[in-house]
Amino acid sequence: MDYMTLLQILDSTVRLATPLLLACLAGLFSERAGIFDIGLEGKMLAAAFFSGAVAYVSGNVWLGLLAGIAASLVLSALHGLASITFRGNQLISGVAINFLAAGLTVVVAQDWFKQGGRTPSLTGDARFDPITLPLAETLRDVPFLGPLYFELISGHTVLVYLAFACVPATWWLLYRTRFGLRLRAVGENPAAVDTAGVSVVGMRYAAVAICGVLCGIAGAYLATALQAGFVKDMTAGRGYIALAALIFAKWRPWYALYATLLFGLLQAVALRYQNIDVGAFTIPVQVMDALPYILTVVILAGFVGKAIPPRAGGEPYVKER
């Protein structure tokens, strides 16, 4: 494998890891506050459809992004209402959101565009364009560092840079602010937080809202940046992979970055190398495509070390009288 091929694989890794990273950080906020969210997949799917549809109709990708975030926030509010206000089962609520989004997006897309549950292809201002960073063209011929800067660092859409910027921002918010301290405390001991005069319900709704915004950006990225429009079930299990990455990362922002890059690398290798000849036998394309999902099962089976979730995770809080 030469240097340019390696850079192309890493470039694909960054693009494919971006929605996983955003969804993983979304789940991190929610679960750190004690709300387990299986519905990441459904929120991303709804956001992907509405961002693609509104971007096509309006011709403005930023309106599409706002529509995707709004759709995700509506589902987040529904999940919060069911699991926080009415103290329902958080896992069942999340699964219901996934089913709702999977069915609703296809029905609305078919009624709206009559193209078999998909949106028309996005072109022009209806898509996010890659950004060429300063001096990228000038430095591209510099040995080693030039191609690295031009091929890997430059040339991504604004949502890719936003996703990677969210990692240090999340770390700072969770570990260096009063809001982050309270949010983490709500996920560990909500009764103590309530005794200190902080609203447990308010903090959990805030975490669910942040989760909705990040899932909305992730879904919009799929439809308006990674691909040129919405297609049925285009999230393809990314929400579940993000949950596995979150467990792998042990609910920590920087580890979430490394975990999602690992999943993105597996997907990038599967796309580039359809059949790998290892000498004695050839690894078929189906095995390569299944690698991210196999790793998900391995992680969820507990073979990556003990991952301890927030102690109050999944438990509705009942205020003592």
Side-chain angles (χ1 to χ4, degrees):
M1 181 187 299
D2 60 17
Y3 182 55
M4 291 305 298
T5 301
L6 176 62
L7 288 181
Q8 290 169 3
I9 292 175
L10 294 178
D11 180 70
S12 297
T13 297
V14 169
R15 297 175 193 272
L16 293 170
T18 295
L20 297 177
L21 177 58
L22 287 166
C24 188
L25 293 177
L28 189 150
F29 275 102
S30 182
E31 297 196 9
R32 276 288 191 174
I35 303 297
F36 288 161
D37 198 347
I38 303 295
L40 298 177
E41 178 88 0
K43 294 173 188 175
M44 291 172 63
L45 191 61
F49 167 69
F50 281 100
S51 63
V54 172
Y56 173 78
V57 171
S58 66
N60 189 321
V61 70
W62 292 102
L63 290 179
L65 175 62
L66 291 177
I69 293 174
S72 180
L73 281 172
V74 169
L75 293 181
S76 289
L78 186 63
H79 181 56
L81 190 66
S83 59
I84 301 173
T85 302
F86 295 116
R87 306 188 188 101
N89 188 291
Q90 298 173 9
L91 300 182
I92 293 176
S93 174
V95 171
I97 286 174
N98 289 339
F99 280 117
L100 175 65
L104 192 63
T105 51
V106 175
V107 171
V108 175
Q110 175 60 22
D111 182 69
W112 196 347
F113 299 107
K114 305 294 191 297
Q115 293 193 10
R118 59 178 296 166
T119 64
S121 296
L122 304 180
T123 57
D125 292 336
R127 288 196 69 194
F128 282 105
D129 294 322
I131 298 173
T132 301
L133 296 180
L135 300 179
E137 291 285 353
T138 305
L139 299 175
R140 67 181 301 180
D141 294 327
V142 175
F144 188 78
L145 293 180
L148 177 68
Y149 183 57
F150 181 80
E151 295 287 344
L152 181 59
I153 301 175
S154 178
H156 298 288
T157 63
V158 64
L159 296 186
V160 173
Y161 298 113
L162 175 63
F164 280 82
C166 282
V167 177
T170 298
W171 174 85
W172 177 81
L173 187 62
L174 286 178
Y175 295 102
R176 290 295 182 269
T177 66
R178 181 179 298 178
F179 173 82
L181 175 62
R182 290 175 174 177
L183 187 141
R184 288 184 289 121
V186 163
E188 296 291 339
N189 193 340
V193 175
D194 192 18
T195 302
V198 178
S199 172
V200 174
V201 171
M203 291 301 301
R204 287 188 167 180
Y205 265 111
V208 168
I210 295 173
C211 174
V213 171
L214 292 174
C215 282
I217 299 173
Y221 172 81
L222 289 174
T224 60
L226 189 63
Q227 299 185 34
F230 173 83
V231 296
K232 178 184 177 182
D233 296 330
M234 73 180 306
T235 48
R238 285 182 173 89
Y240 301 110
I241 293 177
L243 283 174
L246 182 59
I247 297 172
F248 191 16
K250 295 180 172 61
W251 294 270
R252 297 179 182 177
W254 288 106
Y255 290 178
L257 172 62
Y258 309 142
T260 51
L261 284 175
L262 173 61
F263 280 104
L265 177 62
L266 292 177
Q267 291 181 338
V269 171
L271 288 174
R272 185 168 185 89
Y273 298 102
Q274 298 295 303
N275 294 286
I276 298 181
D277 188 0
V278 294
F281 59 92
T282 300
I283 301 177
V285 61
Q286 290 83 0
V287 173
M288 299 304 298
D289 288 337
L291 273 179
Y293 305 98
I294 293 172
L295 182 59
T296 300
V297 174
V298 170
I299 290 173
L300 293 178
F303 292 112
V304 294
K306 190 174 183 181
I308 302 175
R311 286 186 295 175
E315 299 177 3
Y317 176 68
V318 181
K319 186 179 180 68
E320 294 183 4
R321 301 284 181 185

